[in-house]
Structure formats: C-alpha cells, structure tokens
Amino acid sequence: MAPNTRTTPAGTPTNVTQKHARGGIGESTLRPDGTLKVTGEFAYSSDMWHEDMLWGHTLRSTVAHAEIASIDISEALATAGVYAVLTYDDLPAKMKNYGLEIQDTPVLANGRVRHHGEPVALVAADHPETARRAAAKIKIDYRELPLVTDEASALAEDAPLLHPGRDDHHSGHVPHPNIVHRQPIIRGDAAEAAKKADVIVTGEYVFGMQDQAFLGPESGLAVPSEDGGVDLYVATQWLHSDLRQIAPVLGLPEEKVRMTLSGVGGAFGGREDISMQIHACLLALRTGKPVKMVYNRFESFFGHVHRHPAKLRYEHGATKDGKITHMKCRIVLDGGAYASASPAVVGNASSLSVGPYVIDNVDIEAVALYTNNPPCGAMRGFGAVQACFAYEAQMDKLAAKLGMDPVEFRRLNAMEQGAIMPTGQVVDSPAPVAELLRRVKARPMPPERQWETAGEGADVRALPGGLSNTTHGEGVVRGVGYAVGIKNVGFSEGFDDYSTARVRLEVINGEPVAMVHTAMAEVGQGGVTVHAQIARTELGVTQVTIHPADTQVGSAGSTSASRQTYMTGGAVKNTCEAVREKVLEIGRRKYGSYHPAWATAELLLESGKVVTDGGEVLADLGELLEDESVDLELEFRHRPTQAFDLVTGQGDGHVQYTFAAHRAVVEVDTELGLVKVIELACAQDVGKALNMLSVVGQIQGGTTQGLGVAVMEEIIVDPKTAKVRNPSFTDYLIPTILDTPTMPVDVLELADPNAPYGLRGLGEAPTLSSTPAVLAAIRNATGLELNKTPVRPEHLTGTL
C-alpha cells in the first residue's frame, strides 16, 4: 500500500505537558496482541474452557411472524446428555425483556415471534452436537401472522401492530405505533428558498442491509458461583450495559453478576446488543455448571443486529453560480422487529443528513420502522453512512446540472469552523472539508491499464473479475469519483456519557510501574495500546500494565461512536494527571524542604524521575514510592449535549464532528458488469494522531467496509416471507485481499481544543465517504444513475 503522509500545522496545540518515556503519545507503538493474533495463538472468547462445562444452544424461529400455539420439549429433555431445556415460562425473574434503550426484546419468545431467527428455547448438554440434536427435537406449533416488511405495510390502516400497547419515551410523539422514532429538523424556509434556485435535482436512494461480518462469532462462558451469582466471560462492546440488562432478567443484583471481557474478534456495532449473554447465564444457574455458548457463522447472522437498510428521498436546489439554496429529505430506516439502537440511528441520520455543507434552509424527516425483518441497530457510522450515500450522489447531480467540477462545487459549499449545523449547533473546532477534498483530488492518479505487464501478457488479478479470468481488458472503462462525509463522535442528544479509569503507580523490584484498569472493550481498535501510551506520557514511566477489562471498575461506556480514545483515553489521562499530583505531594512531604523547586507547580515525571521543567532531577520514583503507592479511580465526562427538539430538531446534540474525504478510481467492464476498484485515497483530519500506525489502520479498515457495501455486501431478505436468504459467507460476500485496492492515506492533525490532546474520534468517518466515492466512480465510468447499494453486475449491464 502507498505510504501515508502526515501534516501538522505549525502551532497546533497538543495539550501534552510531560516529556514521556519511550512508547508515549505520538509514537507508532505496536499492539501487544498483534503477534498472537497473526500466529493464531490469541485466546478468543470461543477458546475458553472450564472443567465439567456444558454447552448451550439456542433454538430459533423458522418463521418471521407467528403465534406460538404450543411448545413440546419432552423429547429434547429425554435426550441422553441433556441437562436443561428452557422456554419463556422458565425465566426466573419478573423482568423478561431487555434492550439498549427500549426494553422491548424478549429473552425468549413469549407466545409470538417477530422475526426469522428469534430465540425460542435453550438447551444445555454435555456436547455441542448433543445440544443441537436435542433442540431439533423440540416441537413448536406456529400459527403464522400477516407480515410487516416495508413502510407501506407498516403504516397501513390495518397494519398489524408489532408492539401493541407499547409505552416508551418515543411512543408519545410518533404518528403510528409501528414507528420506533421520528425526528424532524426544520431550519430556515426550504419551500421559499426553492423558488430562488436556478436548478433543482431530486433523487431516490436505496441502501442495503449490511452485516458487521466480524471475525469471531458470538461466544462466552458463564460460571455459577457459590454466592448464587454468576461470572460471565464474554466478547462484547459494553460490559456495563450488558450488566444493566442481564442482572434484572436473572433476578440478581448487579454485584452478583461479574463480567470479564474475553478475546474479541471484531465488533463494528454488532456486539453492542445482547446475544448469548443472558442465555448462557440462565443455563448455568439452572444446571449449576459452567455453560459455554459459541455461535456458528450461520447462527451469527441471526444472533446480532445489522446495519439499517434505508430508503432516502432528497431534493437540492442551487443558484447558477453554485451556491446551494435548500435541501429537503425524507429518510426511512428499517429497524426490524425490535428497537435496539434505532432511536439513536434516527438522530444521527437526520442531524447529519445535510452533510458537511452550508445549507441555510432545510426540511428533514427521518423515521425508523418496526417490521418483521431482522433487527437492525449499531454498525460503524450508523445513520450517517446511509445519509452520506444519498447526499453525495446529490452533490454530483447538482454539479453536473450546473456544468461544474464536482470537487470544486463541494468546496464552494463546504462548511468550515464556525459554520452552523441544521440543528443550530455551531461547529466550534476545525472543519477542513475543502482542504480534504483538495488533497484527495491533488494526488497522482494510478497508472492506466495496470493489468498490462511488459512481455508477460495480462495480470488478471488487476482486471475486473480478477482471477475468474473473464475479461482481458476489452471494454474496460476507467472512472473517478469523489465524496466527503461528516460524522459525530460520542453519544449524543443529552446522553450522560462518561468513562472511568483506575490508575495505580507503585514500585516493583525497584522500578516504577503503572497499572491501568478500565472496562473498555478492546475489540481491535487499539485502545490497549493507546492507554499504555497515555500512562507513559503522563507518568513518565516505561512499564505499564493494562488490567483485563471487567465490571470491578466503573463503566467505560461502549466501544462505539468513535468515542473510546476520546472518552476512556480522556479518563486515563485525567486519572494519570491526578496520580502525578499525588506523587508530587508525596515528594513535597518527603523532600520539599531540601530544594525550593518542590514548591512549584511545574514539576514533571520523566524517565522514572521527578524533574523541574528545566530538566533538573529532584528525586527518583523508585525511592520516592518505595514504601508507598498511589491508586485512584476517576470519571471523565465530555461537555454536555442536548436532545433535539421533537418539532424543529434544534439543539446542540453532538459532542464533536469528524471529517473524511475519498477519491475512488475504478475500472469497469461495461459488457460483463464487473468492477475493479483500483485505488481508494483518503484524507482525514484526526485532530491528534496518538498512534499513527493505528490511525492509518483504522482509516484503511473503515474504507474497506465502505467498499464492501458499495459493490458486494447485502443481507437479502425475502419480501414475501421476511426470511434471510444468505446467512453465510458463501452467499454474503465481503472484500478479501484480492478486492482491496491501494489505499493511500493523508492525515491532517488540526487539534480540537475541547478534546484530550486535541484528538478526534476517527474510526467511523472513512466508512461514510468510501461508499459514495466508489459509486460516483462507477457512475463516471458508465453514465448510469446507480442509486442503490450494493452495485451488482446486472445493474451495469441492464439485465436487472
């Protein structure tokens, strides 16, 4: 891959005061788990083992909407090796539902199933195959009900109500019970502004359902304890949210449900909801034995939420000199059978639906529906991804109608620091949208016809179709496309978001050692590396131990919304600073009378010593803390946000904004409908790169996921049965190394003064703009409108 470039404007504040030990902030330190993962030695949650453990299995519904007339478990219970079979009637507590925000998801189906693959019964046995065979013996009499599969069937006058009698904090303001949440945003007068437009373009866009496709399927181990509680070792994204949902269903106080993070093989939002956690605990408490549950890939497609499919209708107007006059849009998100994160996805989709552009007059509506389709929730860039696909296509349409260069048209309308969002919020940190676009456009183009190698014929790997060897370059056309996106960072709309960190500094064998303990879920994003870097920077020590994440420390919030480095990194930084002050207090108490510099506030910890800002050594930490240690646990909160007004959508709803731009270069065989993405160049502002190696990896990873949904990834749901038709990696395709293009990365560091070290959350933004950039390039090559993801060969050849 092409090397990245790095740009740090002169005078950019970093807020770093310590002269850190090697491996601190700003260095590309290696992941401690990297070698283990690439050699296959890393212990994932599916690798856990316990003496005398049982295996759990979930029986799932074979239909999407039905009453359960009867369940007969007698034959399953009589199977040799089976220890327990549980249904809804066996649940031990009054609380039998769970949910991230709305507790509408039953632990096991209660007389009705609402989607294909809903959990109905649980089995514990002495072997996983025994558990599966026993589950297959459970007899269920389903009486199928009418299906709700789209907006028309969800909002029809005689539509079945999927959650009759619902009473949640969104139910009072939605116009129909099958709408999970609705968010309008009104600013200015879009109708009046449309009269002043010289050109108006409209578009209807369809965004497919994407799967997180993480490496490690859902898995965990529940171990009953002597106090009547349970210890759960699990791969998740948010330990304390899981705990909040699990304990009431088990009928236990939270202190009796002890959770420890196990090895996580990726997440991307798919582990933010409960999957097997409650089921394993129920079986463990019923049998009195440890119970392990591991989904196979087929079950994983049913065991977690997916990205919301969406239908979006947009209208934009502009004057002949290229200034956008107004925007109207309606976004309909399919939330599936249960709420999950749909309300937050609606908030993001609506508030970010304008994109990184200055548009004074907007009329926006976003809704999420309850349907009998698979439940949808968090996935990398949620809400903003779907909106970016549509508004960037609109930018190209406007530019074409005005006869303008698409990049220059975007730059003309790009927001910058001080711009006002459609919600009324002022963007109070750098917003280098125009500069990002300039950078990706200015990059050298990759060579033409790369498949041609001198004297050796064609290298088919570089051709559309690749190793399928279906074309040798006849009819291959190059296309170039651009896109830029805006993403919020952190939890929004008044959510009380905080993270906690415990830091202990002590002397072991004469050397100062820091221990950092948080509940942050390390899902591959590299937080364990960054936390050690922060501790080295703030405490001036080389040796840093990262304590396993568990619920014995305060919440670190979710590993989602690009928030962990900002929030839990901020908590580690603040706690380290407090520990440093405690160390200096000890020094002042012990040695303060020996040197006047101890009275100043400018003392630093550097290379295991207390030094003045001029570098004079006052004490060695090993001696200073020889008979003492400092151990503190503190919370970190970002600045407050507000809920969006339910009529106007106004409010300071987001913590921070982040931006990325892409240029896609593609080659398309227009006769066969085959696409080869040659290059996806990205420019992104990260505020402050705490670990450049990790930064580039996150940008390239997010870019690849955007590429996947552009040209191959989609969960296909049969519209007649609401059943998933492709729950395997045989039929659900994801990019491999042969599909992945060159991805040069240009990193800007424009500090956000409100954030720790000036950093920006960065993991989601590249997922937004890579998809529309690829679609724009394919449109450029073919001249086709292409308003749906993913683009398939039949869309390009006219055979659809």
Side-chain angles (χ1 to χ4, degrees):
M1 294 180 181
N4 62 281
T5 61
R6 172 174 179 162
T7 302
T8 306
T12 298
T14 61
N15 300 330
V16 178
T17 57
Q18 291 298 113
K19 297 178 181 178
H20 58 73
R22 184 177 179 183
I25 289 302
E27 297 185 32
S28 287
T29 60
L30 299 179
R31 294 179 59 98
D33 55 359
T35 301
L36 295 174
K37 286 180 174 178
V38 298
T39 58
E41 299 176 81
F42 184 78
Y44 291 98
S45 58
S46 57
D47 296 316
M48 290 185 294
W49 196 267
H50 198 289
E51 185 179 358
D52 198 30
M53 75 180 184
L54 302 176
W55 294 80
H57 181 72
T58 305
L59 179 68
R60 298 177 180 274
S61 67
T62 57
V63 295
H65 196 202
E67 292 180 351
I68 300 176
S70 65
I71 303 179
D72 182 355
I73 64 171
S74 57
E75 193 175 346
L77 270 175
T79 303
V82 170
Y83 281 71
V85 179
L86 304 181
T87 66
Y88 178 86
D89 293 335
D90 298 304
L91 298 180
K94 182 178 179 181
M95 174 61 77
K96 302 178 190 299
N97 284 12
Y98 64 91
L100 284 173
E101 182 180 340
I102 299 172
Q103 286 71 52
D104 61 355
T105 309
V107 173
L108 294 169
N110 176 24
R112 184 181 182 186
V113 295
R114 294 178 175 85
H115 69 93
H116 180 208
E118 179 158 353
V120 179
L122 306 174
V123 178
D126 57 7
H127 191 279
E129 290 304 320
T130 302
R132 291 189 181 95
R133 288 196 300 269
K137 296 177 182 179
I138 298 174
K139 296 180 175 64
I140 304 176
D141 181 11
Y142 290 113
R143 296 178 183 174
E144 294 197 47
L145 298 169
L147 291 171
V148 174
T149 59
D150 55 18
E151 184 178 16
S153 57
L155 305 184
E157 188 174 339
D158 58 348
L161 300 185
L162 296 192
H163 296 274
R166 60 176 284 210
D167 182 20
D168 57 70
H169 57 287
H170 295 294
S171 58
H173 71 263
V174 292
H176 192 285
N178 283 343
I179 295 177
V180 184
H181 177 44
R182 173 181 180 269
Q183 181 63 65
I185 298 179
I186 308 295
R187 186 169 180 82
D189 190 334
E192 188 63 29
K195 299 175 183 178
K196 301 176 183 178
D198 295 309
V199 298
I200 291 179
V201 299
T202 62
E204 295 186 3
Y205 305 92
V206 178
F207 198 99
M209 184 185 296
Q210 187 182 16
D211 186 67
Q212 291 84 353
F214 35 65
L215 172 67
E218 294 80 349
S219 53
L221 176 68
V223 182
S225 56
E226 293 182 356
D227 66 355
V230 64
D231 293 279
L232 179 62
Y233 304 86
V234 67
T236 183
Q237 284 182 247
W238 191 353
L239 286 165
H240 284 79
S241 176
D242 287 4
L243 176 63
R244 174 179 55 80
Q245 296 171 79
I246 294 168
V249 174
L250 302 180
L252 294 174
E254 289 187 0
E255 59 267 23
K256 285 196 173 184
V257 181
R258 294 165 290 271
M259 299 186 63
T260 301
L261 186 75
S262 297
V264 184
F268 312 115
R271 300 188 201 271
E272 196 161 289
D273 292 77
I274 294 288
S275 59
M276 47 62 60
Q277 291 94 319
I278 295 173
H279 296 165
C281 290
L282 287 169
L283 291 171
L285 292 170
R286 171 60 72 95
T287 62
K289 289 178 174 289
V291 173
K292 178 177 179 176
M293 296 188 78
V294 180
Y295 290 178
N296 59 27
R297 184 59 62 182
F298 175 86
E299 186 174 11
S300 181
F301 270 92
F302 298 99
H304 63 258
V305 299
H306 311 288
R307 188 187 298 284
H308 290 72
K311 292 186 177 180
L312 312 93
R313 188 184 188 284
Y314 270 74
E315 174 185 303
H316 283 84
T319 61
K320 59 185 177 183
D321 59 356
K323 295 297 291 184
I324 300 174
T325 57
H326 73 285
M327 185 275 275
K328 301 178 185 178
C329 78
R330 187 166 190 271
I331 301 172
V332 179
L333 301 154
D334 186 344
Y338 298 107
S340 183
S342 286
V345 177
V346 167
N348 274 12
S350 58
S351 61
L352 302 173
S353 62
V354 168
Y357 304 108
V358 177
I359 307 178
D360 296 327
N361 303 284
V362 299
D363 186 343
I364 300 162
E365 180 188 30
V367 300
L369 305 174
Y370 279 123
T371 69
N372 293 120
N373 295 322
C376 292
M379 185 176 175
R380 196 174 197 163
F382 69 30
V385 165
Q386 295 91 325
C388 187
F389 169 64
Y391 64 65
E392 283 302 272
Q394 288 286 103
M395 294 301 103
D396 284 335
K397 283 186 177 182
L398 275 174
K401 198 158 187 178
L402 291 165
M404 296 182 66
D405 177 89
V407 172
E408 295 312 311
F409 175 74
R410 287 173 168 84
R411 295 185 69 200
L412 177 64
N413 291 282
M415 67 166 53
E416 55 188 18
Q417 186 168 354
I420 299 176
M421 295 292 292
T423 59
Q425 184 169 12
V426 176
V427 179
D428 61 356
S429 61
V433 180
E435 174 63 10
L436 296 174
L437 287 162
R438 186 194 68 78
R439 285 170 178 264
V440 291
K441 186 178 182 181
R443 293 198 69 90
M445 280 287 179
E448 299 270 1
R449 304 180 69 84
Q450 293 186 55
W451 63 83
E452 295 180 344
T453 55
E456 298 179 6
D459 181 352
V460 296
R461 292 172 299 176
L463 280 163
L467 292 175
S468 61
N469 198 21
T470 51
T471 179
H472 287 191
E474 316 93 310
V476 173
V477 181
R478 171 167 284 200
V480 180
Y482 297 88
V484 63
I486 178 173
K487 177 67 178 68
N488 64 307
V489 172
F491 289 162
S492 306
E493 299 186 60
F495 186 89
D496 183 21
D497 192 14
Y498 69 94
S499 279
T500 312
R502 179 187 173 202
V503 177
R504 179 182 177 88
L505 185 62
E506 60 186 329
V507 175
I508 300 177
N509 296 327
E511 183 175 5
V513 177
M515 185 275 292
V516 177
H517 186 187
T518 77
M520 179 207 69
E522 172 56 59
V523 302
Q525 82 280 12
V528 290
T529 305
V530 167
H531 289 179
Q533 291 178 264
I534 293 172
R536 293 189 191 104
T537 296
E538 300 301 334
L539 298 177
V541 298
T542 301
Q543 296 298 318
V544 179
T545 300
I546 303 297
H547 191 286
D550 56 32
T551 52
Q552 304 309 301
V553 67
S555 177
S558 175
T559 301
S560 62
S562 302
R563 62 174 291 284
Q564 278 293 7
T565 302
Y566 189 125
M567 294 301 299
T568 308
V572 173
K573 179 178 185 291
N574 280 7
T575 307
C576 284
E577 289 172 345
V579 166
R580 187 172 73 221
E581 290 308 308
K582 287 288 185 182
V583 169
L584 295 178
E585 286 179 16
I586 294 171
R588 292 184 180 104
R589 187 178 71 241
K590 284 187 174 183
Y591 308 124
S593 60
Y594 296 102
H595 197 299
W598 280 104
T600 75
E602 301 299 328
L603 301 183
L604 309 174
L605 306 186
E606 178 186 342
S607 301
K609 303 180 186 301
V610 181
V611 300
T612 67
D613 58 354
E616 182 181 358
V617 177
L618 296 184
D620 183 274
L621 282 181
E623 297 177 0
L624 181 62
L625 298 176
E626 186 175 15
D627 53 354
E628 297 191 57
S629 64
V630 179
D631 194 333
L632 296 176
E633 181 175 325
L634 298 176
E635 293 178 353
F636 172 80
R637 280 177 165 81
H638 57 64
R639 56 183 178 176
T641 59
Q642 301 172 335
F644 297 128
D645 185 272
L646 292 174
V647 176
T648 66
Q650 300 301 291
D652 289 352
H654 296 307
V655 179
Q656 185 189 58
Y657 296 102
T658 185
F659 308 89
H662 278 89
R663 184 190 70 191
V665 181
V666 306
E667 286 171 346
V668 183
D669 187 311
T670 56
E671 295 177 359
L672 299 177
L674 300 174
V675 176
K676 176 72 174 179
V677 181
I678 303 300
E679 182 185 86
L680 262 173
C682 181
Q684 182 168 340
D685 174 24
V686 304
K688 168 68 179 177
L690 304 196
N691 183 324
M692 183 60 77
L693 187 65
S694 181
V695 164
V696 173
Q698 284 288 301
I699 293 172
Q700 292 176 335
T703 297
T704 304
Q705 281 192 306
L707 164 67
V709 78
V711 295
M712 61 184 71
E713 294 188 47
E714 184 180 18
I715 293 177
I716 305 297
V717 181
D718 190 320
K720 296 181 179 179
T721 64
K723 291 185 179 182
V724 177
R725 294 171 56 189
N726 59 334
S728 76
F729 284 164
T730 300
D731 301 306
Y732 182 92
L733 303 181
I734 59 175
T736 70
I737 190 63
L738 294 176
D739 304 297
T740 305
T742 301
M743 291 188 288
V745 175
D746 194 348
V747 175
L748 278 73
E749 295 181 270
L750 304 177
D752 178 351
N754 303 298
Y757 301 116
L759 66 86
R760 293 183 192 274
L762 66 94
E764 294 175 289
T767 311
L768 272 66
S769 48
S770 53
T771 300
V774 171
L775 266 290
I778 301 173
R779 293 188 196 105
N780 179 248
T782 64
L784 299 173
E785 192 165 2
L786 302 177
N787 288 345
K788 182 184 186 302
T789 68
V791 174
R792 302 186 185 279
E794 57 267 31
H795 301 152
L796 303 178
T797 60
T799 58
L800 183 65

